[in-house]
């Protein structure tokens, strides 16, 4: 593996491999293996198989502990938003993993180095190799540097359903009936604008507008949540 | 939790919980929670969210180490056959977990106690609770008793692709060209019967018949593998 990458792993993440061959395998694509048959290399796929499951558990364990009041459905939505190609490829770029992938010439020409699916694979295979080399705690430290701060900054909160969140927020103190009365409807049928209020315990908590009633309800719930949490 | 279950866990699996409440939560279905609002119980779903990921990694780690020559595709197929509702519900029954699920009366009447989807959930939530109470090694010991022997007895080998297996078997000693020449075609177009041979290194290794060429090839590869492995 290139020394500059080993230095970067050490300086940025405090990671020093005992078995650098594992790291090297984790960054080797099959096209490179095929171009160098004499080297008898392995591509990253087996390590990625493992790394995929390591990430799934690492993120699950974090969410389970971090959000003790989230019901399972919300944890699952959040995990799906974190453990996916879009997120992992972005993390891989942030870690400069794209620079160190070993690609065959054809794949290089085809732009594979900037392909999200490959970067996602490499992020998983890196994690798999770290797990094999140094165990669960080392993975947790790495993911706590690269992934968890993003979660805490709300990068994945778009998957949240504001109506559900509002309900959970209000029900902390017992059952609450929440209603979304329609207060206005404007525009032609093919471009209607709905305005709803959100009402709980006889109080109007917010108001929202949208092209569908559902969108208006989500907007109203978001407004109410923001007010209540201020 | 019932003493008879605690005894069974201890005697059969050598498991003794430090926090029995976790075990109890892992066996509590939402219908039971709803029927006993005063008890302020949690249902199993959050622990199951975690247990699902724990099982995925435990099985992945085992397969990765156990089958160092399996390519990723084969590991993934095998993992999918093990980590699924059919398998987990069968494991749950073997462990007598069905006896100890806390269900509401309506769900009991509806036969939930024998429903595969619930038993699968309970198997995952049990594993999640064991992980929370005693960590990864305790889960590995349990899964090594309940799941891995089944894998080693070939209970999941039906997911294997015989053509791929034959290729892997023959390629242990270097690249081999395998062909599947069509030797007979019989019957009407809507009920054709294809017969193919499997040939490698100039030798006919087997013959198979099927309603499609692909099925005939799989059958031929299976015959060849059985002969070669005898």
């Amino acid at each position: 593996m290139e020394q500059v990458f080993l230095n970067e792993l050490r300086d940025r993440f405090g990671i020093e491999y005992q078995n650098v061959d594992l790291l090297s395998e984790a960054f080797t694509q099959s096209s490179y293996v095929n171009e160098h048959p004499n080297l008898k290399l392995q591509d990253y796929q087996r390590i990625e198989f493992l790394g995929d499951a390591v990430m799934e558990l690492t993120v699950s364990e974090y969410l389970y502990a971090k959000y003790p009041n989230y019901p399972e459905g919300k944890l699952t939505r959040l995990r799906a938003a974190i453990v996916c190609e879009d997120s992992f490829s972005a993390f891989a770029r942030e870690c400069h993993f794209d620079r160190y992938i070993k690609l065959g010439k054809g794949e290089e020409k085809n732009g594979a180095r900037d392909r999200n699916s490959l970067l996602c694979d490499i992020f998983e295979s890196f994690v798999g190799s770290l797990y094999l080399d140094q165990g669960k705690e080392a993975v947790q430290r790495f993911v706590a540097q690269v992934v968890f701060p993003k979660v805490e900054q709300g990068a994945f909160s778009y998957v949240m359903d504001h109506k559900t969140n509002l309900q959970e927020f209000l029900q902390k103190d017992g059952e609450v009936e929440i209603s979304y009365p329609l207060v206005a409807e404007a525009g032609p049928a093919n471009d209607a604008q709905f305005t709803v209020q959100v009402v709980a315990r006889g109080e109007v908590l917010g108001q929202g507008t949208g092209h569908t009633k559902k969108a208006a309800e989500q907007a109203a719930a978001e407004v109410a949540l923001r007010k209540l949490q201020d």
Side-chain angles (χ1 to χ4, degrees), chain A:
Chain A
M1 208 68 209
E2 293 169 59
Q3 191 58 45
V4 58
F5 184 35
L6 298 179
N7 293 346
E8 200 171 344
L9 286 179
R10 186 195 58 212
D11 298 343
R12 262 182 91 177
F13 305 112
I15 294 172
E16 297 194 68
Y17 271 70
Q18 291 169 23
N19 180 359
V20 177
D21 289 348
L22 282 171
L23 180 64
S24 193
E25 184 176 327
F27 278 75
T28 301
Q29 212 234 23
S30 57
S31 63
Y32 187 88
V33 175
N34 296 336
E35 267 187 20
H36 301 83
N38 299 332
L39 298 179
K40 308 225 172 239
L41 296 170
Q42 291 254 31
D43 69 35
Y44 65 71
Q45 290 189 82
R46 275 177 46 90
I47 296 188
E48 182 226 338
F49 163 84
L50 183 65
D52 162 51
V54 172
M55 276 309 296
E56 185 92 4
L57 179 55
T58 306
V59 171
S60 301
E61 212 171 343
Y62 162 79
L63 295 176
Y64 179 87
K66 179 86 186 169
Y67 302 108
N69 298 317
Y70 279 17
E72 174 272 336
K74 204 161 163 181
L75 294 174
T76 299
R77 279 201 304 280
L78 199 45
R79 177 172 69 185
I82 300 167
V83 179
C84 70
E85 188 175 299
D86 275 1
S87 309
F88 282 5
S89 57
F91 297 142
R93 283 191 184 89
E94 273 179 43
C95 295
H96 301 159
F97 288 172
D98 50 333
R99 300 180 188 171
Y100 305 108
I101 305 170
K102 292 176 189 175
L103 284 174
K105 287 183 192 123
E107 276 289 89
E108 189 74 82
K109 258 193 206 152
N110 290 337
R113 193 174 292 280
D114 199 40
R115 197 184 292 145
N116 278 1
S117 58
L118 176 60
L119 288 167
C120 170
D121 284 355
I122 293 291
F123 188 76
E124 293 179 333
S125 61
F126 170 76
V127 166
S129 72
L130 184 59
Y131 183 81
L132 287 169
D133 196 60
Q134 303 185 27
K136 178 181 143 171
E137 287 72 24
V139 170
Q140 281 171 330
R141 281 194 300 275
F142 170 74
V143 178
Q145 284 172 277
V146 174
V147 179
F148 299 161
K150 295 274 186 306
V151 180
E152 283 155 38
Q153 288 155 21
F156 302 101
S157 52
Y158 64 90
V159 296
M160 293 303 161
D161 164 355
H162 300 300
K163 283 179 68 177
T164 305
N165 287 358
L166 179 62
Q167 193 173 20
E168 283 165 11
F169 185 89
L170 293 174
Q171 288 185 350
K172 279 185 303 190
D173 314 314
E175 285 292 316
V176 177
E177 182 93 26
I178 306 173
S179 61
Y180 291 88
L182 183 69
V183 292
E185 197 177 335
N190 64 348
D191 188 31
Q193 279 273 14
F194 300 94
T195 301
V196 305
Q197 286 179 337
V198 49
V199 180
R201 300 192 185 97
E203 200 185 329
V204 176
L205 300 176
Q207 183 165 309
T209 296
H211 284 295
T212 64
K213 283 180 202 166
K214 277 198 181 168
E217 289 172 9
Q218 286 289 346
E222 191 181 2
V223 168
L225 260 176
R226 228 181 295 133
K227 277 191 206 164
L228 289 165
Q229 287 172 334
D230 262 354

